[in-house]
């Protein structure tokens, strides 16, 4: 079986992120793949802000009225392998959450905002060594956001062979334990002309382990997207598919994918009553 961590797809290596202090430090020679976020954070080999970084946003819920109700944000979007680990997932995480990846202004895609969290590799090379599998993602903020959400959408990058697809295939694999969420994602991607495949086989690709961070929701189920290298590459201008340039060089296909995903989230939320 081809293991996910042997096929990590870093689409870029230039270590610059909007709003994040970065460095050109390469992978420490002695570093071993971390068993969890907790283990990585405790490892003196790695330093936050040098080798890796985190970004998140939890929106304020302030309800002081005894006669009315403040809106409850139902969904969280996460990118556990952002930055230089699985290229393009950070930018998609921000856009799907409702923010422009370049400056965090509201996106051109109308609709609500969602909470988000991402873990990002900041090195010039070797960011794959920072990969923590989704079942071992135990970052405190990530766990907290997911546990307080009805829905979680987790974004990942993969290679076609991990899904049994032909070389160079541009497709998104839809997984996770929430069947309704998966159905809406498949329908919206198909309607938008995006090749969507039901994820199966290896658990890390299918996202069916209850311990997977995407399933650690109030409902005990969520959704996971695995996007092939070709699909993500086509979302950014040629020659600008780097960590430094991606956020300001988004092609129409990026927004097509974003809009389709947000429509699926809207449909899921429309059927959920918050008592």
């Amino acid at each position: 079986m081809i293991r996910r961590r042997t096929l990590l797809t870093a689409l870029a290596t230039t270590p610059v992120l909007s709003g994040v202090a970065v460095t050109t430090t390469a992978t420490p020679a002695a570093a071993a793949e971390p068993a969890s976020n907790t283990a990585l954070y405790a490892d003196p080999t790695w330093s936050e802000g040098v080798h890796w970084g985190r970004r998140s946003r939890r929106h304020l819920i302030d309800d002081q009225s005894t006669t009315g109700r403040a809106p409850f944000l139902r969904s969280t979007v996460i990118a556990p392998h952002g930055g230089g680990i699985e290229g393009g997932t950070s930018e998609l995480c921000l856009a799907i959450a409702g923010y422009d990846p370049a400056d965090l202004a509201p996106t051109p895609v109308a609709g609500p905002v969602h909470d988000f969290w991402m873990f990002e590799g900041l090195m010039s090379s070797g960011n794959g060594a920072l990969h923590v599998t989704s079942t071992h993602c135990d970052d405190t903020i990530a766990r907290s956001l997911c546990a307080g959400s009805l829905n979680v959408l987790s974004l990942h990058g993969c290679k076609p062979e991990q899904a049994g697809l032909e070389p160079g295939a541009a497709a998104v694999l839809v997984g996770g334990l929430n069947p309704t969420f998966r159905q809406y994602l498949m329908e919206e991607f198909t309607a938008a002309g995006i090749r969507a495949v039901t994820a199966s086989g290896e658990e890390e690709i299918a996202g069916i382990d209850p311990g997977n961070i995407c399933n650690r929701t109030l409902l005990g189920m969520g959704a996971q997207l695995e996007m092939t290298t070709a699909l993500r590459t086509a979302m950014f201008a040629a020659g600008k598919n780097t960590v430094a340039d991606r956020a300001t060089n988004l092609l129409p296909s990026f927004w097509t994918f974003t809009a389709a995903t947000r429509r699926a989230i809207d449909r899921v939320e429309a059927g959920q009553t918050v008592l």
Side-chain angles (χ1 to χ4, degrees):
M1 179 182 293
I2 299 174
R3 298 300 299 171
R4 173 191 180 86
R5 63 182 58 183
T6 65
L7 291 168
L8 297 176
T9 48
L11 292 185
T13 57
T14 305
V16 179
L17 294 173
S18 175
V20 179
V22 295
T23 180
T24 56
T25 303
T27 310
E33 186 174 274
S36 65
N37 291 83
T38 296
L40 188 153
Y41 301 160
D43 188 341
T45 305
W46 309 108
S47 298
E48 185 168 12
V50 176
H51 303 104
W52 57 270
R54 293 172 285 182
R55 286 191 280 174
S56 65
R57 176 167 291 181
R58 167 173 273 166
H59 296 84
L60 175 66
I61 298 177
D62 185 7
D63 191 347
Q64 303 297 327
S65 172
T66 58
T67 58
R69 298 179 60 198
F72 174 75
L73 293 182
R74 295 168 170 81
S75 304
T76 295
V77 186
I78 64 174
H81 311 129
I85 305 174
E86 292 171 357
T89 58
S90 289
E91 292 78 14
L92 283 166
C93 178
L94 291 170
I96 294 169
Y99 295 97
D100 191 307
D103 57 11
L104 294 184
T107 70
V109 182
V113 294
H114 307 293
D115 292 342
F116 66 82
W117 173 87
M118 65 187 75
F119 175 87
E120 301 176 290
L122 305 181
M123 296 181 291
S124 59
S125 63
N127 287 285
L130 297 167
H131 182 272
V132 175
T133 61
S134 293
T135 53
H136 295 124
C137 178
D138 61 355
D139 178 273
T140 302
I141 302 301
R143 286 275 185 95
S144 175
L145 287 170
C146 294
S149 299
L150 292 173
N151 315 298
V152 167
L153 180 68
S154 187
L155 306 173
H156 300 266
C158 70
K159 289 185 176 181
E161 54 263 42
Q162 293 174 270
L165 301 176
E166 69 277 10
V172 55
L173 284 71
V174 181
L177 286 176
N178 189 326
T180 301
F181 203 171
R182 291 200 313 268
Q183 175 188 339
Y184 291 162
L185 286 163
M186 292 287 291
E187 291 175 353
E188 293 298 337
F189 288 138
T190 300
I194 299 167
R195 182 180 178 185
V197 179
T198 298
S200 61
E202 187 178 346
E203 188 286 325
E204 291 179 36
I205 295 294
I208 56 176
D209 191 315
N212 186 308
I213 189 66
C214 79
N215 296 318
R216 290 182 172 273
T217 70
L218 285 168
L219 302 177
M221 57 184 180
Q224 176 174 290
L225 299 182
E226 293 275 358
M227 298 160 285
T228 64
T229 304
L231 180 66
R232 289 173 288 135
T233 298
M235 296 182 184
F236 306 99
K240 299 294 184 179
N241 189 16
T242 67
V243 179
D245 296 327
R246 275 194 294 262
T248 54
N249 290 277
L250 309 174
L251 296 180
S253 58
F254 176 93
W255 295 113
T256 298
F257 188 95
T258 296
T261 307
R262 284 173 59 82
R263 285 194 297 271
I265 295 174
D266 289 344
R267 291 175 65 186
V268 170
E269 292 186 344
Q272 296 173 327
T273 300
V274 178
L275 300 177

